[in-house]
């Protein structure tokens, strides 16, 4: 498996996020939306066009898990990116059938 932490800057961050969440959560549905253009010039905009994201993820790993536990699982999979490259992350996490 590629180490997405050392992926070249030419690899879109949305692709890295998707790879991390796929590896960690084996989702049945996953969308990674780059919302950075809505925040251009605002606090947290680093000029890369890759600072604000929304993830919509459905995974069997979330069955029986609370909303907080689901968000923690996403945050854990992206921890180093959240501390270095992602300024804001909106998470919509659900179990199949919800």
């Amino acid at each position: 498996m590629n180490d997405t932490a050392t992926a070249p800057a030419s690899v879109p961050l949305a692709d890295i996020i998707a790879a991390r969440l796929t590896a960690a959560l084996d989702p049945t549905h996953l969308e990674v939306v780059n919302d950075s253009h809505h925040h251009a010039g605002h606090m947290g905009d680093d000029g890369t066009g890759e600072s604000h994201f929304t993830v919509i993820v459905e995974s069997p790993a979330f069955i029986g898990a609370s909303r907080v536990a689901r968000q923690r699982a996403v945050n854990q999979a992206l921890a180093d990116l959240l501390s270095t490259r992602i300024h804001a992350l909106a998470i919509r996490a659900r179990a199949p059938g919800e």
Side-chain angles (χ1 to χ4, degrees):
M1 179 193 323
N2 283 340
D3 181 5
T4 55
T6 59
S10 62
V11 176
L13 187 52
D15 291 350
I16 296 170
I17 292 168
R20 293 278 187 91
L21 294 177
T22 297
L25 301 171
D26 193 24
T28 53
H29 177 82
L30 177 62
E31 293 177 53
V32 180
V33 181
N34 184 341
D35 297 318
S36 301
H37 62 283
H38 295 297
H39 303 278
H42 297 171
M43 176 71 87
D45 174 29
D46 62 4
T48 66
E50 295 189 311
S51 58
H52 295 71
F53 292 88
T54 297
V55 295
I56 302 163
V57 58
E58 176 184 279
S59 173
F62 297 145
I63 295 172
S66 70
R67 182 180 61 82
V68 171
R70 294 171 183 191
Q71 292 200 1
R72 284 183 179 151
V74 171
N75 287 336
Q76 182 177 12
L78 304 175
D80 64 317
L81 297 174
L82 287 165
S83 67
T84 59
R85 297 182 62 187
I86 300 171
H87 174 72
L89 181 67
I91 301 169
R92 295 197 321 235
R94 65 181 182 258
E98 292 183 342

